Amino acid sequence: MRRIALLVLITGALVATWFQQPATQVNTVRELAPGVFFHEGDLRGSGHCNTGWVIFDDYVLVLDANFPSGAQMVLAKIKAQTNKPVRFAFDTHHHGDHAYGNQIWADNGAVPVAHENVLAEMQKYETGLFGGKPGRWEAEAKSREDVRASKLKPPSLLYRDLMIFDDGKRRVELRYFGVAHTRGDGFAWLPKERILFTGDAAVNGPFNFLGDADSAAWVETLTAAQTLAPSVVAPGHGPLGDGRVLAAQRQFFVDLRAEVGKRKGLPPDRMQAEVPAIRTALLERHATYIDPGPAPIIGFESQVATVYREMTGQEFPKKASQEAARITHQQHHGIEPR
Ligand SMILES: [Zn+2]
């Protein structure tokens, strides 16, 4: 009896540890439930996002299209598992690392799917395709071979509030909760398994890019997503987590906004000088979201600058050289083009 109790205790602890500190398993396939898979992308090395896929009776639904090279990698792994065709590729939002692989999926018989605002965001930023002058795709193509070798394929199957895939066994609901990381953040929700794919509306690491975001709306959107009460959260970047990822991500923005809000009366130069103090104030509680390293993918200062701009309409006077280096690094890896 005692042995069983001990075993239950150990198993419980193991499960808890698995979710609390999941080892980063970049480029490995993980089965979350029968027919439901998660693949953590190599962000630092290749700029790839995380990808999911669900194997239905007649087809495969891919969750996030990735960059072209990420799409090719994941497609090969799907083909090794099943001979069912990939029919749909869901873009959680318009950024290159989540949508530029659309053409790869299309070439293999899939239709890119997204919230209607993803197309609107592309029409705004992808001027090379929609407006004439070079836009983000063309900027990205300068540093990425895989982008150069492919072409932009916007999503053509769009939803407003909800799109449902259901074959009687598995069900995936594409949902929309409002503006967050972009204006078009879609979520993929598996109600039976209580698994939520969030795209970059929730990440699990220091990867929050605010360039197309609205941080106040982002908090509200995450509050709405939390009502789903997921057991597993598959974030846009970083390791798999549980429902606490949504809470932690939301709280980071609540606290970041509070720290900036306290100081919003400061002029831009003095506000910029406060960045290290704000970082220190947030670091203990939000270590997951603040990069300690010398070459962060997303600079903390850029996050503070965006929130300050949202609150006051003012810009920081100068981009610190360190910050400029981060942006170069980020562009080199093709992450979140501005
Ligand atoms: Zn993004």
Side-chain angles (χ1 to χ4, degrees):
M1 206 43 198
R2 207 176 271 175
R3 261 186 210 166
I4 290 169
L6 194 67
L7 194 71
V8 167
L9 205 71
I10 290 169
T11 311
L14 280 175
V15 169
T17 315
W18 181 78
F19 274 122
Q20 262 163 34
Q21 295 170 319
T24 296
Q25 293 179 313
V26 166
N27 289 338
T28 57
V29 178
R30 194 151 161 175
E31 186 163 24
L32 305 183
V36 182
F37 298 88
F38 174 76
H39 184 271
E40 186 183 337
D42 180 6
L43 176 64
R44 290 185 191 277
S46 313
H48 293 165
C49 72
N50 296 341
T51 311
W53 61 94
V54 181
I55 302 178
F56 287 87
D57 264 352
D58 302 324
Y59 59 85
V60 179
L61 164 65
V62 168
L63 305 171
D64 254 346
N66 217 317
F67 268 127
S69 62
Q72 278 155 336
M73 179 191 283
V74 170
L75 179 62
K77 293 178 183 184
I78 295 172
K79 282 183 170 172
Q81 283 179 341
T82 178
N83 52 17
K84 289 174 188 173
V86 179
R87 287 280 186 242
F88 304 98
F90 175 47
D91 299 340
T92 57
H93 59 293
H94 69 282
H95 287 153
D97 54 334
H98 299 260
Y100 282 4
N102 280 350
Q103 186 64 50
I104 304 295
W105 300 108
D107 289 343
N108 285 276
V111 177
V113 184
H115 185 265
E116 61 181 345
N117 288 359
V118 174
L119 180 60
E121 294 275 65
M122 280 195 185
Q123 285 165 335
K124 184 171 166 191
Y125 298 114
E126 301 293 358
T127 46
L129 190 71
F130 292 104
K133 63 177 192 291
R136 289 185 176 180
W137 174 279
E138 290 75 16
E140 201 71 58
K142 286 180 189 157
S143 61
R144 288 195 66 106
E145 174 79 47
D146 63 336
V147 172
R148 253 195 317 280
S150 189
K151 57 180 192 277
L152 180 58
K153 178 85 177 167
S156 61
L157 182 57
L158 308 172
Y159 72 98
R160 185 161 295 166
D161 300 312
L162 174 67
M163 182 183 287
I164 300 171
F165 298 83
D166 193 332
D167 64 3
K169 294 172 193 138
R170 273 175 264 289
R171 180 181 175 96
V172 176
E173 299 176 359
L174 304 185
R175 307 283 292 258
Y176 184 73
F177 297 109
V179 172
H181 173 65
T182 69
R183 308 191 69 77
D185 298 286
F187 292 70
W189 171 234
L190 284 71
K192 289 178 199 166
E193 300 86 354
R194 310 203 71 75
I195 299 168
L196 184 65
F197 289 83
T198 63
D200 289 357
V203 297
N204 196 7
F207 316 124
N208 289 129
F209 172 68
L210 279 80
D212 296 335
D214 177 324
S215 68
W218 199 332
V219 170
E220 298 307 315
T221 294
L222 286 171
T223 305
Q226 280 181 293
T227 61
L228 296 173
S231 304
V232 175
V233 170
H237 297 286
L240 194 69
D242 61 16
R244 283 172 293 183
V245 172
L246 292 182
Q249 178 66 93
R250 181 184 172 280
Q251 198 60 43
F252 172 64
F253 288 122
V254 167
D255 292 347
L256 175 64
R257 287 179 52 78
E259 290 296 328
V260 175
K262 269 194 255 179
R263 298 162 171 91
K264 71 179 178 190
L266 294 174
D269 58 334
R270 288 187 50 207
M271 185 66 199
Q272 189 165 17
E274 282 290 296
V275 170
I278 296 173
R279 192 177 194 280
T280 303
L282 296 177
L283 194 55
E284 195 180 333
R285 191 166 183 199
H286 298 291
T288 303
Y289 291 101
I290 300 175
D291 199 317
I297 287 173
I298 306 291
F300 181 70
E301 186 178 279
S302 71
Q303 296 174 329
V304 174
T306 303
V307 174
Y308 179 68
R309 185 188 343 112
E310 286 174 0
M311 290 180 175
T312 67
Q314 301 179 89
E315 300 283 346
F316 279 6
K318 58 177 173 18
K319 278 211 184 317
S321 57
Q322 208 186 354
E323 181 66 10
R326 285 167 190 155
I327 289 163
T328 309
H329 173 86
Q330 171 184 327
Q331 283 169 345
H332 173 73
H333 289 294
I335 298 149
E336 312 292 7
R338 286 160 191 251

